[in-house]
Amino acid sequence: MLSEQEKLDALLRLGTELNQVNDLDILLEHLLTVARRFVNADAGSFYLRKDDKFYFHLLQNDTMDNASDDQRIPLPGNIFRSPVKDDSIAGYVAKTGEFLNIVDVHEIPDGAPYRFNKNYDMQSGYRTCSMLTIPLNNKRGIPLGILQIINAKDRSGNIVQFVEKDEKMMFHFASIAAIALERAQMTRTLLLRMIRMAELRDPKETGAHVNRVGSFSVALYQKWAEKHDIPQEEIERWRDILRMAAMLHDAGKVGISDSILKKPGRLTDDERMIMNQHALFGAQLFNDMQSDFDEIACQVAINHHENWDGTGYPGHIDSATGEPLDGYRKPDGSARGKIGDETPIFGRIVKLADVFDALSSQRCYKPAWDEEKVLRIIQEDSGTAFDPELVEIFMENLDTIRLIQQRYKDESQDEV
């Protein structure tokens, strides 16, 4: 539990910290974590604005996270696709722009202009009590997001109400957070516009697909990095960059001819060789490296089709020229594929995330495969196509993978 001085110091540092986070989802996760820490809250949620409506986007709950597997209640399948209602607490705050500090959401008077939906509490066994709901408004006073902080705790861990100093703290927090949120939304919009440019060429490259691949990749990296004792500060830095880079893994397809890219049938060997060049083309988009993002985006683009056993492509090549690197040229003149951890970890992660999503999704040439079949293939290809350690991590975190699939279904409203 932070002291008042620690809270003030953290608030002063907040703007600088948030300027280092560029990805929208990573930012929201960070904002919710920091907000809860400021007021010592057990849980919280985030709602984002899209097309003048607000949609649930993120939940954190320490009590439920610490529950045993058989006690956890999954979120309803439509929670990410249904806009909040005007008479809900979040809907009321979105409509009025007011802060709301409710002592007990189960004791809201009948005549109040908002109400609490008790369904999740009833299903999960969790008891929502005190709630602070805060609009994150831009300079024009338009709410970009709604932050809900749930169940303040005292030093003994008892649930208490939010007090006036909590409101003042969160008022200042909201003004800083709103600026960061608007910037991150602009970055996400630019990324999705780049994706839509690719989508004009390749219908498979949708906003929902790249959001899923980005989110899968971050989830896998988090668990892999924890397993390898990487410091949390370093993990957070690379998660932000990886998510954006993973979203652009197939950007190089803009350089492939429509006659090949949109061909409905199987590609010939020559056509497949041309198609494979998209990995190089994607890397070349980021070769003029100005930042860590350029470096990782280049790394992901050129490595996400390498196989663990060395049978992938394009192999050990110069990302500027496409020529095999010294010592890696095979007798036929092509480059030797990268074996094992010769492929950087981010490339290995995005490969697994991309293949899983491609197999799980409907395409113009195939229906979506059922999860059992997809997981069987992933496991069968462990040690040949995929890093065995990553496959193991993937299988251990299927609940997270499924939640990401719910959040980013193939529908435009999910591409927030």
Side-chain angles (χ1 to χ4, degrees):
M1 189 170 181
L2 297 178
S3 68
E4 293 306 308
Q5 186 58 52
E6 287 173 328
K7 290 179 183 179
L8 289 173
D9 291 343
L11 193 61
L12 290 173
R13 295 193 305 269
L14 184 62
T16 302
E17 290 177 2
L18 296 183
N19 281 335
Q20 299 173 14
V21 182
N22 294 293
D23 179 72
L24 179 61
D25 283 349
I26 303 295
L27 176 71
L28 295 178
E29 200 176 302
H30 185 67
L31 286 177
L32 189 51
T33 300
V34 172
R36 290 173 51 225
R37 190 166 69 239
F38 277 161
V39 294
N40 197 36
D42 184 54
S45 56
F46 227 118
Y47 300 83
L48 278 186
R49 182 190 189 97
K50 181 173 175 60
D51 298 332
D52 294 326
K53 295 182 180 179
F54 283 81
Y55 295 86
F56 177 87
H57 197 81
L58 179 64
L59 172 69
Q60 293 178 357
N61 189 312
D62 289 347
T63 295
M64 297 306 293
D65 286 347
N66 293 327
S68 60
D69 290 341
D70 59 349
Q71 291 178 312
R72 289 184 187 149
I73 305 296
L75 293 173
N78 65 346
I79 193 168
F80 298 108
R81 302 188 303 282
S82 301
V84 299
K85 296 179 180 179
D86 288 345
D87 64 350
S88 69
I89 296 171
Y92 175 81
V93 169
K95 183 171 59 177
T96 65
E98 297 178 18
F99 276 55
L100 273 185
N101 185 353
I102 302 173
V103 175
D104 188 340
V105 294
H106 288 267
E107 301 297 332
I108 296 173
D110 290 339
Y114 47 81
R115 62 183 181 83
F116 174 67
N117 186 339
K118 301 178 182 178
N119 288 339
Y120 186 70
D121 275 13
M122 293 173 63
Q123 293 174 11
S124 66
Y126 185 76
R127 178 57 159 83
T128 304
C129 188
S130 56
M131 180 183 289
L132 193 59
T133 307
I134 307 132
L136 301 186
N137 298 330
N138 65 14
K139 293 179 180 179
R140 294 177 293 163
I142 298 173
L144 305 172
I146 303 297
L147 179 63
Q148 279 190 337
I149 309 298
I150 299 166
N151 285 355
K153 296 188 293 185
D154 63 16
R155 292 186 179 277
S156 299
N158 301 311
I159 303 302
V160 296
Q161 69 185 73
F162 292 98
V163 296
E164 184 178 356
K165 65 182 179 182
D166 293 331
E167 292 186 40
K168 291 180 179 179
M169 175 66 69
M170 295 315 299
F171 179 83
H172 292 295
F173 174 88
S175 62
I176 298 171
I179 295 171
L181 175 58
E182 188 166 34
R183 177 179 53 80
Q185 286 182 318
M186 289 175 62
T187 301
R188 173 64 62 85
T189 299
L190 288 172
L191 281 173
L192 287 176
R193 283 175 180 164
M194 292 180 68
I195 300 304
R196 288 185 184 113
M197 288 174 60
E199 189 178 348
L200 292 173
R201 305 289 319 287
D202 181 6
K204 300 186 292 295
E205 202 67 11
T206 66
H209 166 66
V210 297
N211 269 317
R212 288 192 298 267
V213 171
S215 296
F216 294 154
S217 297
V218 165
L220 288 171
Y221 173 66
Q222 177 75 40
K223 296 301 182 181
W224 178 89
E226 290 172 356
K227 189 174 180 179
H228 288 260
D229 297 322
I230 294 175
Q232 187 59 36
E233 183 177 343
E234 185 176 343
I235 293 174
E236 291 179 3
R237 173 186 173 220
W238 291 117
R239 285 168 77 240
D240 179 51
I241 295 172
L242 172 60
R243 194 183 196 287
M244 295 187 297
M247 290 177 70
L248 294 170
H249 64 280
D250 270 341
K253 286 185 176 179
V254 297
I256 304 299
S257 166
D258 279 355
S259 63
I260 295 174
L261 199 60
K262 297 182 178 181
K263 183 177 179 179
R266 185 179 296 274
L267 299 179
T268 66
D269 290 344
D270 288 343
E271 289 170 337
R272 174 55 61 187
M273 289 181 64
I274 294 172
M275 174 67 87
N276 290 355
Q277 289 182 318
H278 80 273
L280 172 62
F281 295 162
Q284 289 175 336
L285 290 173
F286 304 101
N287 255 345
D288 184 19
M289 295 181 187
Q290 305 293 322
S291 65
D292 288 339
F293 167 72
D294 291 332
E295 179 180 351
I296 300 307
C298 178
Q299 184 185 111
V300 166
I302 205 166
N303 285 295
H304 75 282
H305 283 291
E306 297 291 348
N307 286 336
W308 183 255
D309 64 1
T311 60
Y313 68 87
H316 291 276
I317 63 171
D318 185 319
S319 62
T321 65
E323 289 297 310
L325 295 173
D326 291 344
Y328 292 100
R329 188 185 296 272
K330 296 195 296 187
D332 64 1
S334 63
R336 176 174 73 74
K338 296 175 182 176
I339 301 173
D341 58 12
E342 289 179 349
T343 301
I345 183 59
F346 291 153
R348 304 195 316 259
I349 286 173
V350 174
K351 178 187 181 64
L352 177 54
D354 185 34
V355 171
F356 172 77
D357 193 67
L359 297 179
S360 303
S361 304
Q362 181 176 343
R363 294 287 186 258
C364 59
Y365 53 85
K366 76 169 188 67
W369 291 2
D370 64 77
E371 183 184 86
E372 183 180 356
K373 180 179 180 180
V374 174
L375 295 179
R376 185 173 66 252
I377 290 173
I378 295 294
Q379 290 177 303
E380 288 174 352
D381 287 347
S382 175
T384 52
F386 309 119
D387 177 344
E389 182 184 23
L390 288 177
V391 171
E392 182 179 340
I393 292 171
F394 185 92
M395 299 302 295
E396 291 171 351
N397 291 276
L398 284 175
D399 285 347
T400 300
I401 298 299
R402 291 167 182 145
L403 187 62
I404 292 168
Q405 288 178 309
Q406 285 184 32
R407 180 178 297 176
Y408 296 113
K409 287 185 176 293
D410 286 306
E411 298 167 0
S412 60
Q413 71 180 29
D414 293 312
E415 295 171 28
V416 177

